[in-house]
Amino acid sequence: VYLRVTSKIKKLMLYGVVLALFGEVVFSLLLGMYEYRLENVPLYVPLGHSLIYAAVFYIQKEKIIQHNKARVVSILYWGMIVYSSLWLLLDQDRLGFLCMLGVVLFLKKKPGNELFFLIMFFMVVYLELLGTYYQCWAWPDTWFSTVSFITSSNPPSGISVFYFGFDIGCLWIYKKLNRQKWSRMKSLRLLSNS
């Protein structure tokens, strides 16, 4: 995949590996937010984060999705709310529901990128369900195993909000390390919107 993407996405993927490794060490090993089966951070995880980032970037650009963008956003948005609400009702997943509300708030404050983040939400849902089903990792019954009134499913339904932090972090690093290219891209965007 890395060999077939644009140079911008290659950079974002490399930044993502570093950022993902840091995030996994902090959230899994130091804070105990979730735990991998062997109580470490498997090698595939930081690489997988970058792969997901690139996949969502390209999925959102597919012609059929772009052609039906408003409809896709609406379906994914309401699907996200229904999905997390069902987990709350059926499994007392308060953490997942609160995270989903965080996603809703985030999307309201950052309009224009809903498609990317909603596709990311469901990509994360899929991967979290697979990873926990096969017991590659597990989430505790309560947030950080200490906040008893914030119960959690395994996995929490809206946990993708943390992936959003990863996505934003990758982009922030790219902006800082590629200021000239970023400025040029923003200028071209402004011209095309005029």
Side-chain angles (χ1 to χ4, degrees):
V1 171
Y2 181 80
L3 296 176
R4 299 191 64 174
V5 298
T6 66
S7 61
K8 177 184 174 185
I9 299 300
K10 282 180 181 172
K11 287 181 180 181
L12 285 165
M13 288 179 78
L14 291 174
Y15 304 152
V17 169
V18 174
L19 189 60
L21 180 59
F22 175 77
E24 292 291 337
V25 167
V26 170
F27 288 109
S28 179
L29 300 181
L30 297 178
L31 298 177
M33 190 173 186
Y34 50 91
E35 186 175 289
Y36 288 99
R37 184 173 53 89
L38 299 176
E39 299 179 10
N40 62 4
V41 176
L43 181 61
Y44 67 84
V45 172
L47 300 171
H49 279 287
S50 287
L51 187 60
I52 294 166
Y53 186 90
V56 172
F57 181 82
Y58 285 103
I59 289 169
Q60 71 158 347
K61 294 196 174 290
E62 288 292 323
K63 287 181 184 177
I64 192 165
I65 291 177
Q66 286 297 315
H67 184 68
N68 298 291
K69 186 175 179 178
R71 181 179 295 149
V72 171
V73 166
S74 179
I75 290 168
L76 293 178
Y77 184 83
W78 290 107
M80 172 187 70
I81 291 171
V82 168
Y83 176 79
S84 287
S85 297
L86 285 173
W87 275 96
L88 175 65
L89 292 172
L90 300 175
D91 200 39
Q92 300 299 309
D93 183 19
R94 291 185 183 115
L95 175 60
F97 189 78
L98 290 171
C99 287
M100 182 274 299
L101 292 177
V103 172
V104 170
L105 183 63
F106 172 80
L107 294 176
K108 295 287 184 203
K109 289 189 174 260
K110 295 283 185 187
N113 296 309
E114 296 92 349
L115 182 61
F116 177 87
F117 287 108
L118 288 167
I119 293 171
M120 179 64 76
F121 180 91
F122 282 101
M123 180 73 83
V124 170
V125 163
Y126 174 71
L127 293 169
E128 285 287 339
L129 288 171
L130 279 178
T132 54
Y133 178 80
Y134 288 108
Q135 300 175 356
C136 300
W137 63 85
W139 294 82
D141 293 338
T142 60
W143 195 21
F144 291 108
S145 297
T146 57
V147 186
S148 60
F149 61 92
I150 302 181
T151 54
S152 176
S153 290
N154 182 32
S157 61
I159 205 62
S160 64
V161 76
F162 285 91
Y163 282 75
F164 293 6
F166 167 80
D167 301 334
I168 292 166
C170 289
L171 195 55
W172 182 83
I173 293 168
Y174 182 86
K175 286 180 189 179
K176 293 297 177 191
L177 297 179
N178 299 277
R179 290 179 193 268
Q180 189 175 15
K181 285 182 181 181
W182 186 257
S183 296
R184 190 173 347 135
M185 186 196 71
K186 287 194 68 137
S187 298
L188 289 172
R189 234 187 237 166
L190 285 172
L191 285 173
S192 68
N193 291 335
S194 300

